[in-house]
Amino acid sequence: MPHLVALYTANLDAVVDMPALCRELADAMLTVRDEEGRQVFPTGGTRVLAYPAPHFAVGDGGAAGRAAGAGKTGLATGDPGEYGFMYLHLRMGRGRSDATQKRAGDAVLAAARARLDPVMATRHIGLTVQVDVGAEVFDAKHSTLHPLFQKT
């Protein structure tokens, strides 16, 4: 059930390779290990989904960024307008330690920053990573993916 959902302002599509970011986030999730060195997220169950928000409002719409100018904000160039924002929500099943949950969040954050930091050098973008552990009321699965990755 490890699902990572990216909700982001659609203006990021022009400056971020979202398919590449999704792959990098999934790959980062697959590297996470628990205290015994076991892979935390099953390969066949790891999913990253990205959804752009075509309609959005962030902060003051970019006014403060434009008013500050490139020199004052530390950005290489002035922000061209409306801010960007990305929310990464990782949902995990129960049973993992707090340390493992933090490792998962750190891995997702590191992968996101590797892709976004160069863009953030020229644009004002907010990034949030949140990890939630579910107390599922109902959890059913049906998949032909898992057999591809089961060891015989």
Side-chain angles (χ1 to χ4, degrees):
M1 188 261 275
H3 300 144
L4 178 63
V5 176
L7 302 174
Y8 65 94
T9 56
N11 60 345
L12 294 182
D13 277 328
V15 293
V16 177
D17 183 344
M18 289 298 174
L21 176 59
C22 289
R23 180 72 263 154
E24 292 157 0
L25 291 167
D27 290 345
M29 291 170 62
L30 294 173
T31 67
V32 179
R33 300 288 185 263
D34 65 13
E35 289 80 1
E36 286 77 43
R38 295 178 303 226
Q39 183 175 334
V40 171
F41 302 119
T43 304
T46 298
R47 293 152 178 108
V48 176
L49 308 169
Y51 298 97
H55 310 287
F56 57 89
V58 180
D60 64 3
R66 288 188 300 276
K72 295 178 185 170
T73 63
L75 297 179
T77 63
D79 194 311
E82 179 69 62
Y83 310 124
F85 180 74
M86 180 174 288
Y87 171 67
L88 299 173
H89 182 211
L90 176 59
R91 183 119 167 107
M92 303 170 61
R94 290 178 284 180
R96 281 128 180 156
S97 70
D98 290 347
T100 296
Q101 294 169 34
K102 181 175 181 335
R103 274 194 295 282
D106 287 341
V108 166
L109 179 60
R113 288 200 56 191
R115 174 68 54 179
L116 294 175
D117 278 356
V119 179
M120 292 174 92
T122 62
R123 303 278 192 280
H124 292 96
I125 300 170
L127 172 63
T128 297
V129 176
Q130 182 176 8
V131 178
D132 285 332
V133 177
E136 300 81 15
V137 174
F138 179 79
D139 184 26
K141 296 171 180 59
H142 178 69
S143 174
T144 57
L145 290 171
H146 288 283
L148 291 172
F149 307 104
Q150 293 175 347
K151 295 179 174 123
T152 55

